[in-house]
Amino acid sequence: MMKFLRQVWESFRFAWGALKTNVTRTILSLLGVTVGIFAIVAVFTIVDSLEKSIRDSLSFIGDKVIYVQKWPWGFGGEYQWWKYFQWPEPNYAEYKYLYDNLESASAVAVMDFRGNTVLKNGSNSINAAIQGISYEYNLISDIPVQNGRYFIPLETNNARNVAIVGADIAESLFPGQDPVGKPFKLAGHKFTIIGVREKKGESLVDFGGSPDKICLIPFASFSKLFQSGRRSADIVVKGFPNDEGMKEVEAEIVGLMRTKRGIKPRDGNNFSLNRPEAAAVAISGLFAVLTVAGWVIGSFSILVGGFGIANIMFVSVKERTNLIGIQKSLGAKNYSILFQFLFEAVMLSLVGGLVGIFLVYLLSFMKLGSLEILLLPRNVLLGLGVSSIIGVLSGIVPAMLAARMDPVIAIRAK
C-alpha cells in the first residue's frame, strides 16, 4: 500500500511539474472551464439568493396562511375578472363568524390596506401605507417590535388611535428622537406611536410593500378613517403546523363561508382563498428556467474547455513519449503513467473551476439592486465536482494511450 501511495504521489508531482513548465498553455486551456463553471455557479448562486429573499418576504406575510378575499391571485392562465367583479367583498361580520367557528385554525385575523397616505409631525412628513389589523394579526404575520410594544386587546377592540410604525416612518417623522409615546397626524387625526418595528431594509421582493414604510393601526380605527361604513376586509387564517397541505383548514373555511353567505349546493364559491406559497411557486418556475439556461450556457463553455484540455493532453503525451518509455523501462507501472496524465488533466480542470468560483465569490461583494448575493457551500462543491468530472473525461483517453505504450517503441520515438 505504501508503495502504491508513493507512486501516486510521484505521479501527482510529475503532473504539477508539467503544468508549471507550460504556464501559458495551462492558462489558455483552463479558460473554457473557468467560463463554464462561472456561468453554472453564478446562476445557482443568484437563484438561491432570490429564493432566500422571497422566503424572508413570506415571513412578513405569514407562513401556512390563507387569505379570504374577493379577487383570486392570478399566476398564469385566463383571469376571469368579469366573474370575480360580481363577487361580494369579505366583511367584518364574516371575519367574526370564522373567528367564532373555525376549529382547525390556530389564528384568525382581519386586515385592510390603504397605500400612499401622508403622515405628519409638524414640518416632517412621509407617504406611507396604512394597514388596519386586529389583535390576533401578530400570531399570523411576523411583526418584530424593536422599540415599544405591540397592541393590547383594549386598544384594538375600542378603536384607540395608536400606531406601530416602520423604521423609515419613525426616522422621517422624528429624526434623531425616540418616537415612542409621541403623537403624529394621520388623515387629519391624532395618533400616538406605541411601537417601532425592526428595520428590514430594502428587499428585491416585498409582498404588500416594505415593512419599513407601513403604519399599523387597529382595524376598528382604520374602519372609522377610511371605510365609511363599508366594513370590507381581508380575512387571514393561519393553520396548525401539522396540517401540511392546509387541506383541513381550507375545507372548513369553504364550508363556513358558504354557510354564512347562503350559497346553494349547486352554486360555486363567490370568494377566493389565496395562499402566499402560490406566489413563491410561480416565481420558482422562473428560477427553474434560469437554472436550465445556466446549465446550457455553462455546458457549452465547459464542453469547449473539455476539448481544449483533451487536446493539450494529447499534445503532452506526444511531447513526453520518450520520457514515458524511459519511465516504463525503469519499472513504472501502467497505473502510474495513467495517474500522471489523469492528474494533470484533473488539476488543469480544477484550477479553471477554482478561478470560476473565485469570480463568483467576487460577485457576491457587488450589490445587484437590493439583492444580497450569497455563495453557498453546496454551489462551491457543485463547481468543484463538475470541474473534476470534466478533467477525468478530458484526460482519460490520453492517459490510457500513454499507459499502454510499448516502452521500446516509446524510447525510439522522435
Side-chain angles (χ1 to χ4, degrees):
M1 177 60 72
M2 291 300 298
K3 182 180 179 181
F4 173 76
L5 293 176
R6 187 162 53 249
Q7 289 179 329
V8 171
W9 172 248
E10 288 296 325
S11 300
F12 177 81
R13 288 179 57 194
F14 269 113
W16 180 248
L19 292 178
K20 290 196 300 182
T21 303
N22 302 285
V23 177
T24 303
R25 188 172 69 184
T26 299
I27 293 174
L28 293 175
S29 301
L30 59 83
L31 284 178
V33 177
T34 297
V35 174
I37 295 299
F38 172 79
I40 292 174
V41 176
V43 168
F44 273 86
T45 298
I46 292 174
V47 167
D48 289 340
S49 302
L50 287 169
E51 288 181 336
K52 180 180 182 300
S53 178
I54 289 176
R55 284 195 299 271
D56 292 343
S57 297
L58 285 177
S59 69
F60 164 58
I61 58 177
D63 181 34
K64 289 189 177 299
V65 167
I66 296 175
Y67 285 77
V68 184
Q69 297 172 312
K70 172 181 177 177
W71 299 92
W73 298 349
F75 301 107
E78 183 182 13
Y79 192 79
Q80 300 177 338
W81 62 268
W82 55 89
K83 180 177 72 173
Y84 310 137
F85 181 78
Q86 303 175 37
W87 290 358
E89 294 271 4
N91 55 52
Y92 189 82
E94 291 170 339
Y95 152 70
K96 289 297 294 180
Y97 184 74
L98 292 180
Y99 181 85
D100 294 335
N101 293 280
L102 264 177
E103 296 180 355
S104 56
S106 60
V108 183
V110 64
M111 60 158 285
D112 205 348
F113 192 87
R114 183 183 180 89
N116 199 29
T117 303
V118 179
L119 311 183
K120 291 184 177 181
N121 172 42
S123 60
N124 298 322
S125 65
I126 182 174
N127 281 343
I130 311 300
Q131 190 172 4
I133 61 174
S134 60
Y135 174 74
E136 296 80 10
Y137 191 73
N138 70 325
L139 302 176
I140 293 172
S141 179
D142 185 24
I143 306 178
V145 178
Q146 183 179 35
N147 186 16
R149 60 175 176 81
Y150 186 69
F151 301 116
I152 59 175
L154 181 67
E155 293 168 337
T156 54
N157 294 336
N158 295 343
R160 297 286 176 83
N161 285 0
V162 291
I164 299 173
V165 299
D168 289 352
I169 297 175
E171 292 169 7
S172 297
L173 297 183
F174 300 94
Q177 304 177 50
D178 182 3
V180 176
K182 294 182 179 178
F184 68 97
K185 286 293 184 68
L186 192 168
H189 293 75
K190 179 180 175 182
F191 275 72
T192 302
I193 296 176
I194 62 170
V196 180
R197 298 175 65 160
E198 290 182 5
K199 188 174 182 65
K200 181 184 178 184
E202 293 184 358
S203 177
L204 186 69
V205 180
D206 274 317
F207 295 95
S210 171
D212 296 337
K213 294 183 179 180
I214 292 180
C215 174
L216 302 176
I217 63 175
F219 180 80
S221 304
F222 183 96
S223 300
K224 289 195 304 182
L225 291 178
F226 303 114
Q227 291 191 340
S228 302
R230 184 167 56 92
R231 302 290 279 178
S232 65
D234 289 338
I235 304 169
V236 195
V237 180
K238 186 178 181 67
F240 286 104
N242 57 358
D243 189 2
E244 289 297 331
M246 297 286 287
K247 294 180 180 178
E248 184 179 350
V249 65
E250 189 169 328
E252 191 177 3
I253 292 171
V254 170
L256 290 174
M257 285 295 292
R258 289 179 66 90
T259 300
K260 179 65 176 176
R261 292 190 172 183
I263 301 175
K264 297 178 181 179
R266 293 184 179 180
D267 295 338
N269 298 332
N270 59 0
F271 54 89
S272 301
L273 302 185
N274 296 315
R275 295 182 60 180
E277 292 90 341
V281 170
I283 297 175
S284 295
L286 298 177
F287 294 160
V289 174
L290 290 176
T291 301
V292 172
W295 273 111
V296 171
I297 296 171
S299 296
F300 279 114
S301 299
I302 288 177
L303 187 63
V304 173
F307 282 126
I309 292 174
N311 182 54
I312 291 300
M313 294 311 302
F314 279 115
V315 172
S316 182
V317 170
K318 186 173 183 179
E319 288 177 346
R320 287 149 54 187
T321 301
N322 285 358
L323 180 59
I324 294 170
I326 295 172
Q327 288 176 327
K328 298 193 76 172
S329 65
L330 293 176
K333 301 295 184 181
N334 285 352
Y335 67 79
S336 178
I337 303 298
L338 177 73
F339 285 158
Q340 178 179 325
F341 287 93
L342 196 58
F343 285 164
E344 185 175 339
V346 172
M347 288 171 60
L348 193 61
S349 185
L350 274 176
V351 171
L354 286 171
V355 174
I357 293 170
F358 180 71
L359 293 177
V360 178
Y361 175 72
L362 295 179
L363 182 66
S364 66
F365 290 98
M366 298 173 59
K367 289 286 288 183
L368 298 180
S370 58
L371 179 64
E372 181 183 4
I373 305 297
L374 299 173
L375 178 58
L376 301 179
R378 68 167 179 263
N379 291 331
V380 174
L381 294 177
L382 172 68
L384 294 177
V386 172
S387 300
S388 301
I389 293 172
I390 292 300
V392 171
L393 295 177
S394 302
I396 188 64
V397 174
M400 291 178 65
L401 290 176
R404 293 177 179 178
M405 281 186 180
D406 184 279
V408 177
I409 297 176
I411 291 175
R412 292 177 177 176
K414 295 183 180 181

